[in-house]
């Protein structure tokens, strides 16, 4: 019996990045505004204490997002990831027996 294993992994994210400022109508104010002081009851446990700074933040701590451009989807991103991993490992596509994508 032949052994099998993962030879390499690759991820390709969309190139377009949108910051929180892109989503607000007045981005200069939002990006330069001081952080919002958390409101609400005192945290009861460690998790609640860690999450409290994000409760009043409409972005819940996120600062940027990757957005697929028109014509770009999961298949085209998967193809770019597959090409990248083949190039990195030096394995020819004809040598592959199985490719998994999610």
């Amino acid at each position: 019996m032949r052994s099998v294993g993962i030879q390499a992994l690759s991820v390709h994210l969309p190139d377009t990045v949108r910051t929180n400022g892109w989503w607000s109508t007045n981005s200069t104010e939002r990006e330069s505004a001081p952080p919002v002081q958390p409101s609400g009851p005192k945290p009861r446990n460690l998790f609640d204490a860690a999450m409290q700074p994000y409760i009043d933040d409409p972005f819940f701590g996120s600062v940027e997002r990757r957005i697929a451009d028109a014509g770009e989807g999961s298949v085209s991103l998967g193809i770019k990831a597959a090409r990248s991993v083949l190039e990195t490992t030096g394995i020819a596509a004809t040598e592959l027996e199985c490719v998994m994508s999610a």
Side-chain angles (χ1 to χ4, degrees):
M1 176 188 261
R2 290 177 25 187
S3 66
V4 297
I6 297 172
Q7 296 295 315
L9 296 172
S10 181
V11 174
H12 186 83
L13 301 173
D15 293 327
T16 302
V17 178
R18 291 194 177 151
T19 63
N20 293 347
W22 187 91
W23 300 97
S24 101
T25 54
N26 191 350
S27 63
T28 54
E29 275 185 33
R30 166 140 345 250
E31 289 179 358
S32 63
V36 176
Q37 293 299 316
S39 62
K42 213 168 189 180
R44 293 175 289 167
N45 57 45
L46 205 52
F47 178 78
D48 289 348
M51 293 306 296
Q52 195 161 11
Y54 306 107
I55 290 172
D56 293 327
D57 179 2
F59 301 108
F60 296 106
S62 295
V63 294
E64 68 179 30
R65 292 137 201 90
R66 297 286 176 151
I67 307 296
D69 288 325
E72 186 176 46
S74 59
V75 173
S76 62
L77 293 172
I79 290 170
K80 289 176 182 178
R83 287 185 178 143
S84 170
V85 79
L86 291 174
E87 189 177 304
T88 301
T89 60
I91 297 172
T94 55
E95 296 179 58
L96 299 177
E97 293 181 10
C98 178
V99 174
M100 299 173 83
S101 175

